[in-house]
Structures are given as C-alpha cells and as structure tokens.
Amino acid sequence: MKKKVFTVFSIVVFLCAFLFGLFLFKNQFYFYFDSGRDAYEAYSIFTYGDFKIQGPSSDIPGVHHGVGWYYFLILPYLLGRGDPFFAGLFLFIIVFSTLPLVWYLTYSIFKNKVIANGVILLYSFSPAFLLASRWLSNPSLAFIIVPLLLFILWKFVEKQDLKKSFSIGILYGSLLHADIAYLICLISLPLIYLVFRIKLKLSEIFFIITGLLIALIPFFLVEIKFKGKGIKSVLGYLETNSSSFDLGQFIKIFITKMNELFDFSIFGTGSIIVLLIVSLLFLFTVKRINPFEKKPLYFILVWMSALLLFFLFETGFTKGKYVFFPYLLPAVILLVFMLNKVINNKIIFALILLILFFFEINSNLELFKAKSNPYTVQNGMILSDLKKAIDYTYIQSGKGAFVINSVTNPLYINTTWAYLYEFYGARKYGYLPKWDGRDQTGYLGNIPEGTKAPFRFTIIEPGPGIPEIFIKETIQEENIKSQLVSEKRFGNIIVQKRIPKE
C-alpha cells in the first residue's frame, strides 16, 4: 500500500508540474536576441549545410560556448518550419522528461522514497526550473545533462566500469556546450576520487579522458581555426582577475550567492535569512547523521563545492542566475534531506514541504504577472506579444508595403525582429517589410533595406538594458523622417505607427 501511495504521489506531482509549466510556457515563452541568433544558426545548418564548430559567444570577448546547442535546435526548428514556439516546446518536453530520473537519482542516493518525493515536488515547481524550461538558451541544456551526469557519477562511486567512465567524460564535456563557464564543474571529478578513495584503473581514466576529448572536439577545431584566440582570451581574463582578488569581497559574494541559490530555487522571499535557515539545518543534520548517510551527503557537497570557484571571478555570468543551473538539483536534494533528517515528525515534515511548495507557486505567479525572467536583462520579450506586434504592423499598413525601425537589446541589432518577420510575418502575409534603421551589415537577418512605403513603424523593446537616451535619440531621428500617427503597446513592447514626411 505504501509503495502505491508513493508511486501515485510522484505521478500526480509530475503531471501537475507539467500542466502548470505548460500553462506558463504557453502564455509566457521568451524570445529575444540570443534566441533569434541561435535560430538563424540552426536554420543555416539544416538548410544550407553550413555546419558549425563555434557556438554562441560568451561574456568574455573571444570565448564561445560549445556548438552543441545549435545542433540541439536543428530537429525542433526543422519539424516546426522555423517556428520558435515549436522549438521552445521541444526544450520544455525534454527538460520535463528528466523528472523521473531526478526521482530515481534521489532514491538511489538515499534509498528513501519520502526524500525522493519531496525532491520531485520542490524541484519540479521551483521557479528556477520552470523558468529554464521555457527559456530557449544554451544554459538550459544543463537541466538535461546534470541529472544524468549525477546519476552516472553516483553509480560510478558505487562501482567503477568502462561504460560509466566514458559516459562521465562525455557528459562533463557536454556541460561546456551548455556554457563554457561550467568547465569549473570538472573540479568535482578529482574531488570525488579523493573523498571516496576510488581505486581507478588506468583504462577507466583513459575512457574518462577519451569521452571528455570527444565532447570537446569542436572547441579544439575552433582553437586551431582561430589560432588559439579563445585560450588567449581566457588566459588574459584569468590574469586580470587574479590580480584583483579580495578575500573579504569573495566571502561577501559567496554568502550573497549561496543565499540567492536557495532563495531563488525555492523560498522566493528575497531575504538573507534563507541562508541562515539552511545553515542551521546543516549544523543539526551533521550532528544527527548516521554512517550510511555520510556517503550521500559527501557526494552532494562535493558536487556543490565547485560553485565556490565561480565566485573567484567577476563576469556577467557569475552575476546571472544561470550560474546556478548545475547546482539547483543538488541544492533541492540537500535541503529536503536536511529537513527529513532534522524533523522527525512526518506530518510536520509534510507540512513544511507544503509551505515551501506554496512559496514556489507564489514566486512563479509573481514572476508571471510581472512578465519577468531573471535570466535575461529584458522584461517582457514574450513571443506571443512579439507576434501581436508584427501582426499589427501588417494590418495597420493595409497588408501593403511598410518600413520598420527598432530600438533593441543589444542596441541597434535587429536580429530578433528580422527572424520573426522572416519566419512568422512573411509566411503569414507573404512578404517582408523594408528596413530603415542602423546598418545591419555583419548581423544575422534578411530584411531588405528601403525607405519608400506609405507607412513606417518604430518598434521599441522593453528594458532594462536599453538606456532611455537611445530610445529618445531614435524617436528624434524618426521625427525628422516621419510623423507619429499612433502608439500601441503589446505587453512591454511599444510600436509606433508613422506616416513619412514629404
């Protein structure tokens, strides 16, 4: 009977999380510059055979993420005929398909279905997880890779063999295709070896390295092609950062970020008290832990310890919340384990999980209402709103010729709108508008340049990230060329309808 209750609970949680996530996805799927750029790159691979070896750019000039993300997008964009919604749905389904593995991973580690069910509840409804499931960007691959990597690592700790060794190498290398900064996660491998005193055979080491090198082949090809530009950029960056290391600043960042990890993952309070609660739970757990539970606890802590290294550096990546992607699952597992260990009463334990669950629901709904995605610098780049804005320009022009200009993030790069006009607007209405804005040479997009048309439309993307001065500057330039007729909002996106001046 107990087994049936646990099974039914986990299935119900999975279905409820999937339906809730699907509702959020359908109404708030994000599409912005990176999404448009990646869509163009994937499209060029399957349409023109323009095979890529270099992935999306990182926040360190000259350094790129792995190219695996572009190849991941090929199938959904091919099946969906370039529709971003279909590509997003594909990612959403793949990310959610990892949940059964998350349950089994947790159960394999602790041999406790109560903990496994608690993890699946808090993990599947976590704002961090649900946002990533509808965020079409390369770091989201971590939510697919990490559960499988942790599962194989755990099985490898229990018993080593060549298949696991090779898989571990492949999966660690695959993390770099999600984000080059996840290279730091590799530190967990030697730590696992040292902490668990694994007796590795030479053949197993060889298979780990071989798997890793195979996954990193595109990186090597890029460095050969561009004569080590990426390596030089990384070395230059490390040299700059190492000279400015401040222990006090590091401790401050560490405390802030660890609090942010647990708070954003589950609590959603925005209070520093979250880390205090987690720390107290950890102290009580350590006092009560039995010998059987030490190994699982060490395993989780070893994996999370790599997070320390991220805070030695100051980049846009470490400031962003996607730095936590490989650590969200271990953080949830750790929290549920500690709660289960400290709280002996099953009813109180269940009640606390329920309270945390409602915290998560509240956080998800608040983000939804605000049209906010903490993974990006823009609030409101929602595909449905973007499509409505495009429909508006076609309809208001009488389905005739018109000219567009845009204020975007990154500034004056029209890739997002170029892609949507080409793969949504042109397919629905049969033609493309003309472009009369800043020069787009070197940027992705196929909208023809032109100035002559009965109507002009100025599209203004939402902030933050676009200084007000540049919006005013673009409007002033448009005022010289045209007269404002009307202005309409689509969510956080503004579209100005204009008539050219004679």
Side-chain angles (χ1 to χ4, degrees):
M1 190 58 148
K2 272 188 176 182
K3 288 182 179 179
K4 287 183 179 179
V5 170
F6 285 127
T7 303
V8 170
F9 179 84
S10 59
I11 292 173
V12 169
V13 168
F14 174 83
L15 291 175
C16 289
F18 183 83
L19 293 174
F20 182 61
L22 193 60
F23 165 78
L24 296 175
F25 170 82
K26 184 180 178 182
N27 292 281
Q28 210 170 85
F29 168 56
Y30 305 100
F31 191 85
Y32 56 107
F33 167 74
D34 286 2
S35 310
R37 174 204 63 197
D38 299 343
Y40 267 125
E41 296 290 9
Y43 180 79
S44 68
I45 294 173
F46 67 76
T47 303
Y48 307 114
D50 182 16
F51 295 105
K52 312 290 181 182
I53 59 171
Q54 189 176 64
S57 58
S58 73
D59 56 345
I60 301 176
V63 180
H64 290 253
H65 309 300
V67 75
W69 174 242
Y70 292 157
Y71 289 92
F72 175 85
L73 292 174
I74 289 176
L75 181 61
Y77 274 118
L78 181 61
L79 296 176
R81 298 181 66 248
D83 187 350
F85 187 85
F86 191 89
L89 184 60
F90 180 82
L91 174 69
F92 175 86
I93 292 171
I94 296 296
V95 168
F96 263 84
S97 70
T98 64
L99 290 181
L101 178 59
V102 167
W103 188 96
Y104 190 63
L105 163 68
T106 310
Y107 178 72
S108 297
I109 293 174
F110 292 104
K111 299 294 187 290
N112 187 318
K113 290 185 178 180
V114 172
I115 296 175
N117 283 342
V119 167
I120 207 69
L121 175 69
L122 297 186
Y123 180 71
S124 62
F125 282 93
S126 167
F129 175 81
L130 289 174
L131 277 168
S133 72
R134 63 185 191 274
W135 185 46
L136 197 61
S137 189
N138 47 286
S140 291
L141 284 175
F143 282 89
I144 302 170
I145 297 166
V146 169
L148 183 57
L149 175 54
L150 288 175
F151 178 74
I152 295 176
L153 272 175
W154 175 252
K155 292 298 180 183
F156 186 76
V157 168
E158 292 185 322
K159 186 179 179 181
Q160 300 79 48
D161 62 51
L162 297 183
K163 286 183 181 179
K164 293 171 194 167
S165 302
F166 184 74
S167 300
I168 286 168
I170 287 285
L171 289 169
Y172 267 109
S174 298
L175 264 182
L176 275 68
H177 290 265
D179 197 296
I180 186 68
Y182 295 152
L183 173 67
I184 291 177
C185 295
L186 270 170
I187 192 65
S188 60
L189 196 53
L191 287 177
I192 285 172
Y193 167 76
L194 294 172
V195 170
F196 296 104
R197 299 177 182 179
I198 296 172
K199 295 180 180 179
L200 283 175
K201 298 177 183 176
L202 190 59
S203 58
E204 290 163 351
I205 296 173
F206 174 79
F207 269 67
I208 291 173
I209 294 173
T210 301
L212 181 62
L213 292 178
I214 289 173
L216 298 183
I217 284 175
F219 290 94
F220 300 137
L221 294 177
V222 167
E223 291 308 300
I224 291 170
K225 181 177 180 179
F226 296 102
K227 299 178 181 179
K229 182 180 179 181
I231 294 173
K232 292 175 184 175
S233 298
V234 171
L235 292 175
Y237 167 76
L238 291 174
E239 184 179 351
T240 303
N241 272 263
S242 61
S243 61
S244 58
F245 176 75
D246 184 309
L247 180 60
Q249 184 68 10
F250 168 75
I251 294 172
K252 181 181 178 182
I253 291 172
F254 172 72
I255 292 172
T256 302
K257 283 295 184 179
M258 290 305 293
N259 186 80
E260 190 179 345
L261 168 61
F262 285 98
D263 188 41
F264 179 57
S265 302
I266 298 172
F267 292 86
T269 63
S271 172
I272 194 70
I273 199 171
V274 169
L275 186 59
L276 177 61
I277 293 170
V278 173
S279 300
L280 289 173
L281 278 173
F282 183 75
L283 291 174
F284 282 116
T285 300
V286 170
K287 288 183 178 180
R288 298 185 180 187
I289 199 166
N290 61 50
F292 169 78
E293 293 167 332
K294 285 184 178 180
K295 187 176 179 181
L297 180 62
Y298 291 163
F299 179 75
I300 298 299
L301 292 177
V302 163
W303 176 265
M304 293 190 68
S305 64
L307 191 57
L308 282 167
L309 296 180
F310 280 118
F311 308 139
L312 293 173
F313 310 105
E314 188 73 15
T315 70
F317 174 82
T318 56
K319 293 175 183 176
K321 292 187 184 297
Y322 44 90
V323 67
F324 299 133
F325 281 13
Y327 305 101
L328 171 65
L329 176 56
V332 175
I333 292 174
L334 179 62
L335 180 64
V336 175
F337 166 68
M338 291 190 300
L339 286 171
N340 182 258
K341 191 65 186 172
V342 172
I343 302 167
N344 293 323
N345 189 299
K346 291 182 179 179
I347 295 176
I348 296 176
F349 172 72
L351 184 62
I352 289 176
L353 287 183
L354 192 62
I355 291 170
L356 293 176
F357 166 74
F358 282 116
F359 274 142
E360 291 183 328
I361 294 295
N362 182 64
S363 296
N364 279 302
L365 293 178
E366 283 186 355
L367 290 167
F368 181 78
K369 289 175 184 177
K371 295 189 175 183
S372 175
N373 180 1
Y375 300 146
T376 72
V377 295
Q378 289 178 284
N379 293 327
M381 288 294 283
I382 297 167
L383 183 62
S384 57
D385 290 337
L386 272 63
K387 286 183 175 180
K388 288 175 186 176
I390 289 172
D391 286 332
Y392 175 78
T393 60
Y394 278 101
I395 293 168
Q396 288 295 307
S397 65
K399 298 184 181 179
F402 63 95
V403 174
I404 65 166
N405 189 9
S406 61
V407 186
T408 62
N409 187 353
L411 195 62
Y412 302 132
I413 300 177
N414 193 52
T415 299
T416 304
W417 297 97
Y419 185 84
L420 291 176
Y421 269 104
E422 185 174 351
F423 288 90
Y424 172 70
R427 287 185 176 177
K428 185 174 181 178
Y429 297 97
Y431 67 100
L432 285 169
K434 296 176 183 177
W435 169 258
D436 185 27
R438 299 300 173 95
D439 184 17
Q440 297 296 299
T441 303
Y443 300 120
L444 296 166
N446 299 304
I447 298 181
E449 294 183 0
T451 58
K452 294 183 178 180
F455 297 98
R456 295 176 66 90
F457 295 91
T458 304
I459 302 169
I460 303 171
E461 291 184 3
I466 305 175
E468 190 67 27
I469 186 173
F470 294 110
I471 297 175
K472 291 180 179 178
E473 182 182 276
T474 301
I475 291 173
Q476 287 171 358
E477 291 172 356
E478 282 295 323
N479 286 339
I480 296 171
K481 302 176 183 178
S482 60
Q483 179 182 342
L484 178 65
V485 175
S486 63
E487 183 175 285
K488 191 172 178 65
R489 278 185 172 270
F490 300 91
N492 294 355
I493 298 156
I494 298 171
V495 181
Q496 292 185 341
K497 180 182 178 182
R498 294 173 168 271
I499 298 176
K501 290 181 178 179
E502 295 182 0

